[in-house]
C-alpha cells in the first residue's frame, strides 16, 4: 500500500478525535450543564408560582372584601385621582394605572400585615384576591375622574367657561353635586352593561387575551410569592425615589413661576416668534413620565400632529381672519380661530371612532 492511500484515513481519525475532544471538553460540559440548570430553574420558577396557589383554597367573598382593603383603596383612589386630573388637564393622555395600583396596594397592606404578624395580632393573611379588590377599586375610582369629564365637558358647561369663550348666550349649566352624582352613576353603569356582553363574546367565546388584565393578573400572582415580594419591595423603592425627585423638581420650578405663562413651564426655547404659536419647552416631569410610558407611535404621532397643526394649519387659517371668521373676536372665542381647532379635532376623533367600529 502506498503512503498516499493512508492520508484519507488519517484525516478521518484526526477529525473524529477533535470532535470527541470538543464533545467531552470540560468547557463544553460546563456550558451544557449551566444551560440545563437554567432551564430547570425556570421550570421550577414557573411551577412554584402555580404550585403555591394550587394547594390554596379560594377565600370566600367576605374574606376578599375586607375593611383594610377598602381603607387602602380609598387612600390610593384619592392619590390616583389627583394624578389623573393633573394628566387630564395637561397632557390629555391617561396611561393604564393597573400595575401601579396593584403594586402600591400590595406594598401598603403587606407592610400592615407584617407589623401585625410580628405583634401576634394578625388574624387573616393578605391574599391575591384581596389585592385584586384593591387594584379594581383604585382603577375604577381614578377612571371616573377621567371618563366623568371633570377636566373636559363638565367644566365646559359652566358659565365661567362660556363667558371666556364668548358663547354665554347659548345657555349654560353650572355643575352641582346632585346631578353630577346621578350623571356619574349612569356613566359607570353604562360601561358595565357594555362590558358584560363584550366579555362573553371576546374573552369566553373567542378566547382572546385581555392585555392589561392578563398582565395585572400575572403581576399580582408574582407579588404573593417569596421572589415576587422582594421584587415588589425594590419596585416601590424605585418608585418612591423618582416620585421624590419629581416633587423636588416641581417645588424648585415653583419659585420661578410668577404667572400663567412664566418660568420653566413656558420656556421660549425656539424664540419668541415660535413661542406665540405654542412652540416652547415645558420642563415638567409629568410630560417626561407620560412620554416614557406611552408607545413610540403615540409620541411620534403627537409630535408630527403638533408641527402640522400649530406650525402650518393654524397660522394659515389665521391669515383668513375677516374672511372665514370675524376679525374683531378674541382668539379663544368659539366664533373665531378656536372653533377650527376644536371642530377639526372633534371630526378626527369621530372619524377614527367610526373607522375602528
Amino acid at each position: 500500500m502506498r503512503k498516499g492511500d493512508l492520508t484519507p484515513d488519517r484525516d478521518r481519525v484526526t477529525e473524529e478525535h477533535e470532535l470527541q475532544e470538543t464533545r467531552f471538553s470540560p468547557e463544553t460540559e460546563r456550558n451544557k450543564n449551566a444551560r440545563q440548570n437554567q432551564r430547570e430553574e425556570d421550570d421550577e420558577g414557573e411551577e412554584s408560582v402555580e404550585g403555591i396557589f394550587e394547594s390554596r383554597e379560594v377565600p370566600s367573598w367576605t374574606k376578599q372584601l375586607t375593611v383594610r382593603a377598602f381603607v387602602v383603596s380609598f387612600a390610593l383612589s384619592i392619590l390616583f385621582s389627583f394624578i389623573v386630573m393633573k394628566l387630564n388637564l395637561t397632557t390629555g393622555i391617561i396611561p393604564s394605572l393597573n400595575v401601579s395600583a396593584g403594586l402600591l396596594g400590595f406594598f401598603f397592606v403587606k407592610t400592615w400585615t407584617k407589623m401585625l404578624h410580628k405583634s401576634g395580632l394578625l388574624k387573616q393573611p393578605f391574599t391575591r384576591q384581596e389585592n385584586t379588590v384593591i387594584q379594581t377599586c383604585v382603577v375604577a375610582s381614578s377612571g371616573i375622574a377621567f371618563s366623568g369629564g371633570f377636566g373636559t365637558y363638565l367644566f365646559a358647561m359652566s358659565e365661567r367657561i362660556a363667558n371666556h369663550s364668548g358663547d354665554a348666550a347659548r345657555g349654560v349649566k353650572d355643575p352641582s353635586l346632585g346631578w353630577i352624582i346621578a350623571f356619574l352613576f349612569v356613566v359607570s353603569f353604562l360601561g358595565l352593561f357594555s362590558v358584560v356582553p363584550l366579555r362573553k363574546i371576546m374573552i369566553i367565546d373567542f378566547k382572546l387575551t385581555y392585555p392589561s388584565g392578563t398582565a395585572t393578573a400575572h403581576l399580582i400572582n408574582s407579588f404573593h410569592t417569596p421572589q415576587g415580594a422582594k421584587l415588589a419591595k425594590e419596585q416601590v423603592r424605585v418608585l418612591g425615589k423618582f416620585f421624590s425627585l419629581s416633587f423636588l423638581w416641581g417645588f424648585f420650578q415653583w419659585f420661578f413661576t410668577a404667572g400663567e405663562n412664566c418660568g420653566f413651564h413656558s420656556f421660549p426655547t425656539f424664540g419668541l416668534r415660535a413661542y406665540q404659536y405654542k412652540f416652547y419647552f415645558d420642563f415638567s416631569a409629568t410630560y417626561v413620565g407620560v412620554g416614557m410610558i406611552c408607545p413610540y407611535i403615540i409620541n411620534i404621532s403627537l409630535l408630527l400632529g403638533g408641527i402640522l397643526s400649530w406650525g402650518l394649519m393654524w397660522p394659515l387659517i389665521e391669515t383668513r381672519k375677516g374672511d372665514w371668521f370675524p376679525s374683531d373676536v378674541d382668539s379663544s372665542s368659539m366664533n373665531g380661530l378656536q372653533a377650527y381647532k376644536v371642530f377639526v379635532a372633534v371630526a378626527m376623533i369621530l372619524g377614527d371612532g367610526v373607522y375602528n367600529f
Side-chain angles (χ1 to χ4, degrees):
M1 182 178 293
R2 291 176 297 181
K3 183 178 180 180
D5 297 336
L6 298 176
T7 303
D9 294 335
R10 186 183 297 113
D11 293 340
R12 186 173 63 254
V13 172
T14 303
E15 290 176 0
E16 291 179 355
H17 181 68
E18 292 176 353
L19 182 60
Q20 290 178 357
E21 289 182 349
T22 304
R23 183 180 303 168
F24 295 104
S25 63
E27 183 66 26
T28 305
E29 285 296 316
R30 282 196 296 268
N31 293 337
K32 183 179 179 180
N33 293 333
R35 288 194 298 268
Q36 182 66 24
N37 293 334
Q38 183 65 35
R39 284 196 297 267
E40 291 178 357
E41 290 177 0
D42 294 340
D43 294 339
E44 290 177 359
E46 293 177 358
E47 293 176 0
S48 63
V49 174
E50 296 299 330
I52 289 175
F53 303 116
E54 186 178 3
S55 59
R56 297 182 184 179
E57 295 183 359
V58 177
S60 61
W61 67 272
T62 56
K63 294 183 179 180
Q64 297 180 23
L65 306 178
T66 58
V67 175
R68 66 188 180 191
F70 287 117
V71 171
V72 173
S73 300
F74 180 74
L76 290 179
S77 297
I78 296 175
L79 173 63
F80 277 73
S81 295
F82 274 102
I83 296 174
V84 169
M85 285 300 298
K86 168 68 175 178
L87 297 176
N88 198 14
L89 295 173
T90 53
T91 63
I93 300 175
I94 310 299
S96 177
L97 301 174
N98 296 349
V99 174
S100 302
L103 174 63
L104 292 179
F106 170 81
F107 174 75
F108 288 126
V109 179
K110 195 67 176 178
T111 303
W112 173 249
T113 55
K114 188 175 182 180
M115 294 173 58
L116 292 179
H117 180 71
K118 290 182 178 180
S119 61
L121 300 176
L122 182 63
K123 297 181 180 180
Q124 179 181 340
F126 183 46
T127 62
R128 54 177 180 162
Q129 287 80 11
E130 196 175 355
N131 201 164
T132 306
V133 170
I134 297 174
Q135 180 263 334
T136 303
C137 292
V138 173
V139 172
S141 302
S142 59
I144 291 177
F146 175 73
S147 60
F150 287 99
T152 52
Y153 44 82
L154 282 185
F155 287 159
M157 300 179 188
S158 64
E159 184 178 0
R160 177 180 297 180
I161 300 300
N163 292 330
H164 183 71
S165 63
D167 262 351
R170 300 193 179 188
V172 296
K173 185 172 181 61
D174 289 322
S176 61
L177 184 61
W179 70 265
I180 287 180
I181 292 177
F183 173 75
L184 294 180
F185 187 84
V186 174
V187 168
S188 301
F189 275 88
L190 179 63
L192 178 63
F193 292 145
S194 63
V195 163
V196 170
L198 288 177
R199 173 182 174 274
K200 173 66 170 60
I201 297 172
M202 299 295 181
I203 299 180
I204 297 180
D205 295 342
F206 292 164
K207 301 185 185 308
L208 299 178
T209 301
Y210 187 64
S212 179
T214 304
T216 307
H218 285 294
L219 188 70
I220 292 178
N221 281 341
S222 66
F223 284 162
H224 293 264
T225 60
Q227 299 85 358
K230 296 179 181 179
L231 179 61
K233 184 178 180 180
E234 179 67 18
Q235 290 175 340
V236 171
R237 187 185 68 82
V238 174
L239 183 64
K241 180 177 68 174
F242 282 97
F243 173 80
S244 302
L245 292 175
S246 177
F247 176 79
L248 293 176
W249 174 241
F251 186 69
F252 171 77
Q253 294 182 82
W254 178 76
F255 288 100
F256 299 91
T257 305
E260 183 178 356
N261 298 317
C262 179
F264 287 96
H265 292 286
S266 303
F267 198 83
T269 313
F270 306 104
L272 296 178
R273 181 65 177 173
Y275 177 80
Q276 295 178 358
Y277 292 100
K278 307 299 181 182
F279 282 95
Y280 57 86
F281 198 83
D282 191 338
F283 286 86
S284 174
T286 303
Y287 294 98
V288 178
V290 173
M292 294 175 65
I293 294 174
C294 291
Y296 292 118
I297 187 64
I298 301 296
N299 296 327
I300 295 174
S301 176
L302 287 174
L303 176 62
L304 296 180
I307 295 175
L308 179 63
S309 58
W310 294 93
L312 297 175
M313 290 181 62
W314 311 144
L316 290 176
I317 295 177
E318 191 177 14
T319 60
R320 308 300 297 175
K321 181 185 298 185
D323 185 12
W324 290 8
F325 55 91
S327 58
D328 56 346
V329 297
D330 189 70
S331 59
S332 61
S333 174
M334 291 297 292
N335 295 321
L337 179 62
Q338 183 70 14
Y340 288 92
K341 299 177 182 179
V342 172
F343 289 110
V344 168
V346 171
M348 292 176 62
I349 293 173
L350 291 177
D352 183 68
V354 171
Y355 171 78
N356 283 283
F357 180 77

